[in-house]
Amino acid sequence: VYGLALAAKYSALPFLGVFLAAAVVRLHGTRAPAPALAPRRKWKRHDAPPPAPGPSWGAAVRRALVLVGVPAVAPAILVQQVVVASTTPRGAFLDGVERKFATYRYHDEAVKAASSLPRGLAAYAAGLLWVRASSVPGARINYFLGEAAGTGWFFYFPVALALKLTTAVVLGLIAAAVLAAVLLARRGAEGRRRRLRLLAARSLLPAFLGAAYLGAAMLSNVNIGVRHVAPSVPLLLVAAAGVLRTAVPRRTGAVVAVAVVVFAAFEAGAYLGREIPFGNLLAGGPPGVRKVLSDSNVDWGERLGAVFERARKGDLGRVGVVSLFWDAQAAKSAGAVWVAELVPGTVDTLFVSTFLWDIAPAIGRSRENSPKWTYFRETLTPFLRKIEEEAVSVEPFLDEYLLIRLRPHGSPAAPTR
């Protein structure tokens, strides 16, 4: 299963070293069973044979590689090889890598990998190099608490999880942390040592794995996409379940667990049909989320169909769209045009991506000086500022766009609020 995860998402790769380390420790601590006692013979305690020693560290490492490393890596390589080799000729693959890295770092390394390695492994290596090249400081636009930067913020991912997980899950994880703290703080209670042993056995490893993964992400230069820390969530939930099992009676724990699942399902169901299925009750939905963080996931272009359908009603006049993505054929049938420069008198109404609308002022305030940031600061920010100056009204259209009505050409400016 982990091998399939490796094949599907590079974010799973950091777990390989952690899983191998955990396997080595576990295998080293595994003792061989004592030999079977002879029948009908009474053994005294001091006569019982001691358990055989576990394998050495070297043997534990070798066994971990065989039992964990190979079964994890082999499926990933096999899946990548079958998919890439069956769909992409070597020439097209080399050409794609060459063009992709033409203006990025690690060009020579990617081309060398594409030329010398099997295509599946080469595609994985090129993908990792692309992640590195596109994640250097200044390469991405990170947005947090109304500010934009070329490097990530330390608390972005914990805040993103708190906003994008369902309320029941967030409160469940917080409650589990509080219960664990109470168990650790209690002194003199009967059975305290036993409860602490149970707590460590049930929750320590998954809590460590989840916290380690989340902590590593918090140190990264890229804050885009809470999906990159999604692997930490099931691990933290397993740790929370262990705390619950240890801290409260079994029936009470079962009721609490069922309540968390039910309320999470109801809250998730309330967002069915929305482009952005996050923004829990604590955050107040996507408008509340937008006040704190944003990324390109807000606008993948799937809602352009709804935009064009609204434009076909004909009561908005000449319609323009400011979006990260574009469907020229559908736009033509709806009479909508893609707008990159506001020319007075050309459009009456604009649908503007909320992502661009939110991030443009933050880019204007930033001091990043890379070519990408300079371009956005000199083009996108003044462009959207001009739209705001010409706007008569601004209202949300779904979660992804704002519907902005512009003042007629030649009329005096009107306040947008």
Side-chain angles (χ1 to χ4, degrees), residues 17-348:
V18 179
F19 283 157
L20 285 174
V24 169
V25 173
R26 182 65 178 269
L27 291 169
H28 177 71
T30 301
R31 305 294 180 180
L37 302 181
R40 297 182 181 179
R41 180 178 177 180
K42 295 182 179 180
W43 288 77
K44 295 182 180 180
R45 174 172 295 184
H46 64 273
D47 292 331
S56 65
W57 284 109
V61 170
R62 291 190 294 271
R63 290 181 64 187
L65 290 174
V66 172
L67 297 175
V68 178
V70 173
V73 174
I77 295 176
L78 179 62
V79 170
Q80 285 283 321
Q81 181 64 25
V82 170
V83 172
V84 178
S86 64
T87 59
T88 310
R90 173 71 70 172
F93 178 66
L94 290 172
D95 180 63
V97 170
E98 179 72 40
R99 287 187 288 107
K100 190 71 172 179
F101 285 86
T103 58
Y104 281 85
R105 297 184 183 184
Y106 309 114
H107 171 271
D108 295 341
E109 294 87 341
V111 172
K112 182 178 179 181
S115 305
S116 58
L117 297 175
R119 269 171 286 177
L121 192 57
Y124 205 89
L128 292 177
L129 289 172
W130 170 254
V131 170
R132 292 185 62 187
S134 61
S135 302
V136 296
R140 299 285 189 99
I141 300 174
N142 303 285
Y143 180 88
F144 185 51
L145 297 177
E147 299 298 328
T151 55
W153 280 272
F154 184 73
F155 291 107
Y156 175 91
F157 283 114
V159 172
L161 287 177
L163 298 183
K164 296 187 177 184
L165 291 176
T166 59
T167 307
V169 171
V170 174
L171 295 179
L173 291 176
I174 294 175
V178 172
L179 281 175
V182 170
L183 285 177
L184 294 174
R186 291 177 63 183
R187 295 182 179 180
E190 183 180 353
R192 176 175 180 269
R193 182 175 297 180
R194 176 178 176 273
R195 283 195 298 271
L196 293 182
R197 285 200 303 266
L198 288 174
L199 182 64
R202 292 167 174 167
S203 299
L204 185 59
L205 180 59
F208 169 75
L209 291 175
Y213 195 92
L214 179 59
M218 292 167 65
L219 298 175
S220 69
N221 285 322
V222 179
N223 288 160
I224 298 174
V226 74
R227 65 190 181 279
H228 293 296
V229 292
S232 65
V233 177
L235 291 166
L236 295 176
L237 287 174
V238 170
V243 173
L244 191 67
R245 178 70 181 87
T246 306
V248 300
R250 179 177 298 181
R251 290 184 178 180
T252 303
V255 171
V256 173
V258 170
V260 169
V261 173
V262 170
F263 282 114
F266 273 112
E267 187 175 8
Y271 287 97
L272 286 178
R274 300 182 71 168
E275 173 78 8
I276 310 173
F278 58 72
N280 55 41
L281 299 178
L282 300 174
V289 173
R290 285 178 48 207
K291 298 175 182 178
V292 179
L293 52 90
S294 184
D295 55 51
S296 58
N297 294 333
V298 175
D299 179 14
W300 281 112
E302 286 89 342
R303 288 304 199 210
L304 282 176
V307 168
F308 297 148
E309 186 65 28
R310 179 67 180 86
R312 288 191 186 96
K313 292 185 177 181
D315 59 333
L316 299 178
R318 295 162 296 180
V319 174
V321 181
V322 181
S323 176
L324 291 172
F325 303 91
W326 192 241
D327 186 337
Q329 184 175 358
K332 184 177 180 180
S333 65
V337 296
W338 187 65
V339 177
E341 180 182 2
L342 189 60
V343 178
T346 57
V347 293
D348 303 304

